[in-house]
Amino acid sequence: MKGFVHVYTGNGKGKTTAAFGLALRAEGAGMKVFIGQFVKGKLYNENIAVAQYLKNVTVKQYGLGCFIVNSPTKDDIKAAEQGFTEMRKIIQNGKFDLVIMDEVNIALYYSLIDIDELIKVIQNKPDHIELVLTGRYAPAEIIEVADLVTEMKEVKHYYQNGIEAREGIEY
């Protein structure tokens, strides 16, 4: 089966959730899945559920916490670069059927990784790999090389009414 490149972007909620939903579907079909999470470095409930229930899904984080309200540090940049190097090898070895680069667009936005290097990875991926790139601010160059682009658009969100992130729903 030919694998395609998906981009889930936009300012609305649901990009990572959609990617994890696809991982669940792939697991059900017996596919091997790798999810690399850029920027994220804390334990989320989806990571717990994957570890507990999805034997063919591997998740690894390439972040040190959440710097989004500040600027990335040298350590944040190093973690993203190391993660990108590892994910490039994972994609090239072809052992996984679905590879998700969660929040990679945020890593691009903050210049944690090089866009030209990511485009090379996309263009040189093995044909069978389905590749998903998530995160706000997907650059035009990434949208151009993708086969499927979904933009999550925020129309209304309860955050605007002061509701904090809720366990099991937002994390």
Side-chain angles (χ1 to χ4, degrees), residues 1-152:
M1 176 171 74
K2 178 174 175 24
F4 292 102
V5 178
H6 304 218
V7 173
Y8 305 156
T9 193
N11 69 343
K13 179 181 177 335
K15 297 170 290 292
T16 296
T17 305
F20 271 80
L22 185 59
L24 176 65
R25 179 176 283 167
E27 163 80 19
M31 298 169 78
K32 289 192 64 167
V33 180
F34 185 89
I35 302 171
Q37 294 186 298
F38 290 91
V39 180
K40 296 177 178 176
K42 65 181 198 175
L43 189 62
Y44 294 90
N45 284 308
E46 60 264 28
N47 305 79
I48 294 168
V50 165
Q52 198 168 3
Y53 300 111
L54 305 181
K55 66 182 184 314
N56 289 319
V57 180
T58 301
V59 180
K60 186 158 184 192
Q61 292 184 323
Y62 304 115
L64 305 176
C66 191
F67 64 81
I68 299 300
V69 294
N70 302 308
S71 296
T73 66
K74 288 180 182 179
D75 289 339
D76 290 317
I77 295 167
K78 184 177 177 183
E81 288 172 346
Q82 289 174 337
F84 183 70
T85 297
E86 185 174 330
M87 288 207 72
R88 178 185 313 178
K89 291 175 186 172
I90 286 166
I91 291 166
Q92 285 307 309
N93 76 27
K95 293 180 183 174
F96 290 91
D97 304 298
L98 170 62
V99 176
I100 297 169
M101 300 178 86
D102 188 35
E103 302 295 2
V104 73
N105 293 322
I106 293 290
L108 290 171
Y109 180 79
Y110 284 99
S111 300
L112 302 179
I113 60 174
D114 183 76
I115 190 168
D116 293 327
E117 292 301 313
L118 178 56
I119 289 171
K120 285 180 192 173
V121 168
I122 293 168
Q123 292 172 334
N124 296 313
K125 75 170 187 61
D127 284 341
H128 76 280
I129 293 180
E130 200 82 10
L131 180 62
V132 178
L133 314 174
T134 77
R136 295 169 185 250
Y137 315 123
E141 299 91 333
I142 296 298
I143 290 171
E144 178 66 28
V145 297
D147 300 297
L148 179 153
V149 178
T150 299
E151 182 177 5
M152 311 293 194

